[in-house]
């Protein structure tokens, strides 16, 4: 622990020099700071993991776009968070709905504690900035196979400011209305997952369906690289230890418990999804396992610092099962959510938020040395499920509504049309928007026999001979 209690200005933005000490480091334990710094790097690692995961699920000729957009999210939100995002989300003098600009451009942001007594402001800013960067990266996968780059980049900046920052403020800032209820969310079920899932649903709706979607039973293309999906899953699974564990905001037993239940829920969800898929085709699906593991990680995120280990099994299985069946919602809604972002992140975040209200336990939350009132149903706090539902509905409604509005208005601006032309979609997003390719050739033709679509005998014969037509890239 720190050897000296912080004695400078609190409650308003202040760089910490008001403490009037020769060395500001005396207020902080290097072990806690090291843990949060490493957790920040782990969350950063998750962002290219998202890119690889999405890229593997997409078509070969549009694979590179999704990797690039995930990294552009790091850069765009890195600036936005410095510019005003951090101040809007974690300023100390905001109202119940949004922060102010007292820390605009990170002014007066250095050594005053924020988040917890173990973290200086600038470290808290670094860590939370990674959350701000990964959230639009999760949502922007909705552009798969048909979305233009420039509007997607502009949208990330606007959406983070208008959607992510307010929801994160409501949830995690002590002045936020959800924090005051309280609606418990340990690491981002609402601000990260429900909001990104709702955004992806809105983006998919506003973009329209991919060419061939309806005529091919809603299943025009298989994932082009299962290996990339598996690689992305590994990055995400490893990074999630920093995502959830670091949300304890110091190195303590609560952080360790959060890491353990995160791993356990992912394992149980992966098994649940695989078994659900096996019952249909009698085959063990790698894509199914990866999707299930991610669903479990999403579901445990809001609950990680509140639930005992046995509850993680229930949350993992429930997350895997609910997200698996939620992949069918896009057919009922008629929305081409190409990468099932809403099904996995939106529905997974909802499941986790609600189950936190049932299985949340004060003795788990107290493992960081704090003191909490009874949290969930297992402690007789029946109203908590209602508070969790309020947080979930607020995050979904705000994100979906504003995302649709932002995209509608952007599409009216000259040069900001959301979708590529039909000709460019046929050529491939990597070719028409990037001029680069993920591989040295791109797939431009494939038959649909594996999707259960009947072909004429001649067409079937031709496609079996030339299933893939390589395009040389010089």
């Amino acid at each position: 622990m720190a050897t000296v209690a912080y004695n400078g200005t609190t409650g308003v933005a202040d760089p910490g020099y008001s403490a009037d000490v020769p060395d500001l480091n005396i207020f902080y334990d290097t072990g806690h700071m090291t843990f949060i710094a490493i957790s920040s790097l782990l969350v950063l690692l998750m962002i290219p993991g998202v890119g690889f995961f999405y890229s593997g699920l997409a078509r070969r000729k549009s694979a590179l776009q999704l990797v690039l957009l995930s990294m552009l999210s790091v850069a765009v939100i890195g600036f936005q968070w410095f510019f005003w995002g951090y101040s809007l989300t974690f300023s100390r003098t905001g109202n119940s709905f949004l922060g102010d600009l007292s820390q605009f451009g990170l002014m007066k942001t250095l050594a005053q504690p924020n988040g917890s007594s173990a973290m200086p402001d600038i470290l808290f800013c670094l860590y939370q900035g990674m959350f701000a960067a990964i959230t639009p990266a999760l949502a922007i996968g909705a552009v798969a196979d048909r979305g233009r780059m420039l509007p997607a980049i502009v949208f990330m900046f606007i959406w983070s400011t208008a959607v992510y920052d307010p929801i994160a403020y409501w949830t995690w800032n002590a002045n936020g209305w959800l924090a005051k209820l309280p609606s418990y969310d340990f690491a981002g079920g609402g601000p990260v997952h429900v909001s990104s899932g709702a955004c992806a649903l809105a983006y998919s709706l506003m973009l329209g369906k991919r060419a061939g979607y309806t005529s091919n039973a809603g299943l025009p293309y298989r994932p082009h690289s299962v290996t990339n999906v598996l690689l992305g899953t590994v990055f995400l699974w490893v990074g999630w230890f920093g995502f959830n564990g670091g949300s304890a905001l110091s190195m303590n037993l609560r952080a360790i418990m959060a890491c353990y239940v995160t791993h356990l829920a992912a394992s149980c969800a992966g098994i649940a999804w695989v078994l659900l898929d096996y019952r249909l085709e009698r085959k063990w699906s790698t894509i199914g396992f990866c999707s299930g593991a991610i669903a479990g990680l999403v579901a445990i995120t809001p609950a990680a610092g509140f639930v005992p280990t046995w509850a993680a099994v229930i949350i993992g299985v429930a997350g895997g099962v609910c997200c698996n069946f939620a992949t069918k919602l896009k057919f009922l809604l008629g929305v081409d959510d190409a990468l099932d972002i809403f099904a996995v992140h939106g529905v997974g975040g909802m499941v986790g938020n609600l189950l936190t209200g049932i299985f949340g336990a004060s003795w788990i939350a107290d493992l960081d040395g704090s003191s909490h009132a009874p949290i969930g149903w297992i402690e007789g706090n029946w109203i908590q499920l209602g508070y969790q539902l309020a947080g979930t509905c607020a995050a979904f409604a705000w994100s979906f509504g504003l995302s649709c509005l932002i995209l509608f208005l952007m599409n009216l601006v000259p040069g900001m049309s959301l979708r590529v032309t039909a000709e460019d979609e046929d050529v491939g997003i990597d070719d028409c928007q990037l001029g680069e390719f993920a591989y040295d050739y791109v797939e431009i033709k494939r038959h649909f026999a594996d999707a259960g679509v009947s072909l004429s005998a001649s067409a079937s014969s031709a496609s079996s001979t030339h299933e893939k037509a390589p395009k040389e890239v010089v």
Side-chain angles (χ1 to χ4, degrees):
M1 299 296 292
T3 56
V4 177
Y6 183 80
N7 63 349
T9 301
T10 58
V12 296
D14 184 88
Y17 295 115
S18 58
D20 196 27
V21 295
D23 182 7
L24 291 171
N25 292 287
I26 64 173
F27 299 122
Y28 300 102
D29 182 88
T30 55
H32 291 316
M33 290 197 294
T34 300
F35 172 64
I36 299 302
I38 293 173
S39 294
S40 302
L41 296 177
L42 288 172
V43 180
L44 176 61
L45 178 68
M46 294 172 69
I47 302 177
V50 171
F52 280 116
F53 189 91
Y54 286 171
S55 172
L57 291 173
R59 299 186 70 186
R60 185 185 303 270
K61 63 185 182 180
S62 302
L64 189 61
Q65 179 200 29
L66 297 173
V67 180
L68 176 59
L69 278 174
S70 69
M71 295 309 298
L72 281 171
S73 180
V74 177
V76 171
I77 305 306
F79 172 75
Q80 187 272 354
W81 196 243
F82 153 80
F83 187 69
W84 60 21
Y86 181 66
S87 187
L88 291 174
T89 308
F90 290 107
S91 65
R92 298 163 175 83
T93 49
N95 54 39
S96 294
F97 298 97
L98 190 64
D100 54 34
L101 295 178
S102 59
Q103 291 175 265
F104 175 82
L106 295 190
M107 62 182 179
K108 301 180 181 179
T109 303
L110 183 60
Q112 186 185 30
N114 202 354
S116 78
S117 60
M119 292 180 61
D121 220 350
I122 192 64
L123 179 56
F124 189 58
C125 175
L126 172 68
Y127 180 63
Q128 289 294 343
M130 299 304 170
F131 282 67
I134 196 173
T135 306
L138 292 170
I140 210 65
V143 306
D145 292 328
R146 64 215 193 267
R148 293 180 63 227
M149 289 290 295
L150 178 59
I153 295 169
V154 173
F155 175 78
M156 285 192 289
F157 186 95
I158 298 173
W159 185 88
S160 185
T161 301
V163 177
Y164 175 81
D165 292 347
I167 297 175
Y169 180 90
W170 304 343
T171 306
W172 290 323
N173 194 303
N175 296 320
W177 69 274
L178 286 177
K180 291 177 179 178
L181 272 178
S183 177
Y184 293 107
D185 190 332
F186 188 67
V192 177
H193 297 296
V194 173
S195 69
S196 64
C199 175
L201 184 66
Y203 214 130
S204 299
L205 176 66
M206 300 302 288
L207 274 176
K209 299 175 182 178
R210 288 167 292 172
Y213 184 87
T214 302
S215 61
N216 291 301
L219 296 170
Y221 310 114
R222 297 181 303 177
H224 92 273
S225 175
V226 178
T227 303
N228 274 7
V229 174
L230 184 60
L231 178 64
T233 302
V234 171
F235 277 31
L236 286 165
W237 199 325
V238 171
W240 230 290
F241 281 77
F243 195 87
N244 285 357
S247 292
L249 304 183
S250 60
M251 183 67 259
N252 50 51
L253 282 173
R254 192 181 189 190
I256 296 170
M257 176 63 82
C259 289
Y260 186 82
V261 297
T262 296
H263 178 68
L264 181 59
S267 301
C268 294
I271 294 170
W273 193 303
V274 163
L275 293 178
L276 284 174
D277 284 358
Y278 184 81
R279 88 188 194 282
L280 299 175
E281 300 183 11
R282 294 296 185 269
K283 293 182 179 179
W284 301 93
S285 170
T286 306
I287 294 290
F289 174 77
C290 293
S291 298
I294 300 303
L297 291 166
V298 170
I300 197 63
T301 291
F306 297 110
V307 299
T309 51
W310 58 266
V313 176
I314 300 173
I315 293 172
V317 172
V321 171
C322 290
C323 293
N324 180 287
F325 286 112
T327 59
K328 311 303 186 291
L329 288 174
K330 62 185 178 185
F331 303 119
L332 295 176
L333 298 174
V335 177
D336 183 9
D337 184 2
L339 308 180
D340 287 319
I341 301 170
F342 174 70
V344 173
H345 293 277
V347 173
M350 294 175 187
V351 170
N353 274 350
L354 296 179
L355 292 184
T356 300
I358 296 176
F359 299 115
S362 59
W363 68 86
I364 299 297
D366 291 349
L367 289 174
D368 60 3
S370 60
S371 179
H372 290 76
I375 294 176
W377 280 16
I378 63 173
E379 295 185 295
N381 185 24
W382 312 111
I383 192 63
Q384 190 59 48
L385 184 61
Y387 293 157
Q388 298 300 117
L389 181 62
T392 300
C393 292
F396 177 83
W398 186 265
S399 180
F400 184 79
L402 259 69
S403 297
C404 287
L405 178 62
I406 294 167
L407 291 165
F408 175 77
L409 294 176
M410 283 181 58
N411 204 43
L412 299 177
V413 177
M416 283 291 168
S417 57
L418 303 177
R419 184 163 179 158
V420 299
T421 63
E423 293 77 12
D424 284 345
E425 184 177 351
D426 185 56
V427 169
I429 306 300
D430 291 352
D431 194 349
C432 71
Q433 291 282 296
L434 276 61
E436 299 170 332
F437 303 91
Y439 311 95
D440 61 349
Y441 70 95
V442 293
E443 177 182 291
I444 59 174
K445 183 177 180 182
R446 167 175 277 176
H447 67 77
F448 299 98
D450 60 316
V453 180
S454 60
L455 301 172
S456 65
S458 59
S460 178
S461 174
S463 62
S464 63
T465 305
H466 302 288
E467 181 180 354
K468 295 179 181 178
K471 177 180 177 180
E472 296 297 333
V473 179
V474 180

